[in-house]
Amino acid sequence: MPRDSQGTLDRATGGVLRVGVSEHPPFTVVGENGDVSGEEVDLIQQYAAGIDARIEWTAGPESVLSEAMKNGDLDVVIGGFTADAPWTSTIAFTRPYTTLERPDGSTAKVVMGVRPGENALMVDLELFLARAAGEI
């Protein structure tokens, strides 16, 4: 079984999952009062419920969330991140679970991110995303 270098999945299970969210409708929407919604918000809430975790949200732009991930302040980041995002030195991205259409008509593969080295969390989240997409 894959292990987490920082024990994130064990800590979050039955505890708190710290999720960074960057606004990117329809995947994520951050309201003026800090409420979050959207397709990825729904997915990560379902994932958290499956591990009996409460979510602690942190909203911000991708660059700020990347730094928070580097500092160990977040467990997961969401916000319509794409597989070609420039944050691979601070965020380990899941395998793509859906696609989005860019303004130029091209498509991009959408991913979520976890802290590098948190392999048990990565595998568990990827299995959840595969099930949610009907792949398994």
Side-chain angles (χ1 to χ4, degrees):
M1 176 78 181
R3 300 181 78 124
D4 287 337
S5 61
Q6 301 298 314
T8 301
L9 183 58
D10 286 340
R11 180 190 42 77
T13 300
V16 176
L17 183 67
R18 302 169 305 169
V19 179
V21 58
S22 179
E23 184 162 35
H24 190 245
F27 297 99
T28 52
V29 177
V30 180
E32 288 183 25
N33 61 356
D35 288 343
V36 294
S37 61
E39 296 170 11
E40 282 189 339
V41 170
D42 293 344
L43 276 173
I44 205 68
Q45 287 174 327
Q46 291 169 24
Y47 175 74
I51 62 169
D52 193 29
R54 178 178 60 82
I55 296 178
E56 182 179 283
W57 298 101
T58 299
E62 290 182 5
S63 59
V64 170
L65 297 180
S66 176
E67 189 65 24
M69 186 71 82
K70 178 181 175 184
N71 294 335
D73 298 329
L74 298 173
D75 304 320
V76 177
V77 291
I78 62 172
F81 284 85
T82 58
D84 60 355
W87 315 113
T88 57
S89 66
T90 56
I91 300 172
F93 290 115
T94 63
R95 64 191 251 330
Y97 72 93
T98 193
T99 58
L100 65 81
E101 186 172 335
R102 291 184 167 149
D104 66 4
S106 66
T107 59
K109 296 176 180 180
V110 179
V111 297
M112 292 184 184
V114 303
R115 288 178 62 198
E118 300 309 279
N119 300 322
L121 176 62
M122 174 74 82
V123 169
D124 199 56
L125 181 57
E126 286 186 336
L127 285 171
F128 167 81
L129 292 170
R131 285 185 193 104
E135 295 174 12
I136 56 173

